[in-house]
Amino acid sequence: MKKLFFLGIITFFAACSVKLATPIQADVDRVSTKYPGYSLADLNEGKSLFEHNCNRCHHLKNPASRSEDKWEKIVPKMMAKLNKKEGHPVLTDKEQESILRYLITMRTASKSGT
Ligand code: HEC
C-alpha cells in the first residue's frame, strides 16, 4: 500500500515537470556559427538560469515547444512580468540573453522532453 502511494507521488511529479535534455558539446557545435565563442559552460549557465527563473509563475516550458522567433518575443515579455512582480530588475541583460540562447539552442536538441 505504502509502495503504491509513493509510486503515485513520483508519477505525479514526473507528469508535472519537463524533462530537460542535458546539454552536450554537439548542441554547442550546432549553434557555433550563430553564437561565435559560445561554450558548453555558457549553455549550462543558461539552463540553470532558465530552471531558476522560468518556473516562478508556471511550470517550465519545453524549449522545443516554441519557434526561435517566438522565444525572442516571449523571454523579454516574461522578464518584464518578473521585474514588475519583484518591483526591480531581476536579471541582467546578459542573463536574459543567456536564457534565450539556451532555449534557442536546446529547442532542436535530439533528446528533448515533452
Ligand atoms: C512573473 C511571472 C512569470 C515569470 C517569472 C515567467 N512567466 Fe511565463 N507566463 C506568465 C504568465 C502570467 C503567462 C500567461 C499569460 C501570457 O501568455 O502572457 C505566461 C506564459 C508563458 C508562455 C506561453 C505564452 C506564449 O506566448 O506562448 C511561455 C512559453 C512562457 N510563459 C515562458 C516563460 C519563460 C521562458 C520564462 C523565463 C524567462 C517565464 N515564462 C517566466 C508569467 C511568468
Side-chain angles (χ1 to χ4, degrees), residues 76-107:
K77 194 176 126 184
M78 293 299 147
M79 285 295 108
K81 280 188 204 292
L82 180 58
N83 294 344
K84 202 172 158 209
K85 184 182 167 184
E86 298 292 320
H88 60 87
V90 178
L91 297 186
T92 63
D93 287 354
K94 204 170 158 266
E95 288 168 329
Q96 189 174 314
E97 175 67 20
S98 178
I99 294 179
L100 186 58
R101 286 186 176 198
Y102 162 75
L103 289 168
I104 290 175
T105 305
M106 295 310 285
R107 64 174 290 279

Side-chain angles (χ1 to χ4, degrees), residues 46-104:
K47 181 174 189 269
S48 163
L49 286 164
F50 170 70
E51 287 170 330
H52 290 103
N53 295 285
C54 299
N55 60 352
R56 294 196 187 191
C57 311
H58 47 67
H59 63 83
L60 287 177
K61 312 277 180 185
N62 183 353
S65 68
R66 301 294 189 284
S67 68
E68 190 171 327
D69 286 3
K70 279 268 163 60
W71 282 129
E72 279 170 357
K73 292 191 185 81
I74 290 169
V75 172
K77 194 176 126 184
M78 293 299 147
M79 285 295 108
K81 280 188 204 292
L82 180 58
N83 294 344
K84 202 172 158 209
K85 184 182 167 184
E86 298 292 320
H88 60 87
V90 178
L91 297 186
T92 63
D93 287 354
K94 204 170 158 266
E95 288 168 329
Q96 189 174 314
E97 175 67 20
S98 178
I99 294 179
L100 186 58
R101 286 186 176 198
Y102 162 75
L103 289 168
I104 290 175

Side-chain angles (χ1 to χ4, degrees), residues 2 8 13 15 21 26 29 32 34-35 39 49 56 67 81 85 93 105-106 111 114:
K2 230 178 180 176
F13 281 111
D29 294 346
S32 62
K34 192 173 168 64
Y35 305 133
S39 70
L49 286 164
R56 294 196 187 191
S67 68
K81 280 188 204 292
K85 184 182 167 184
D93 287 354
T105 305
M106 295 310 285
K111 272 198 314 179
T114 47

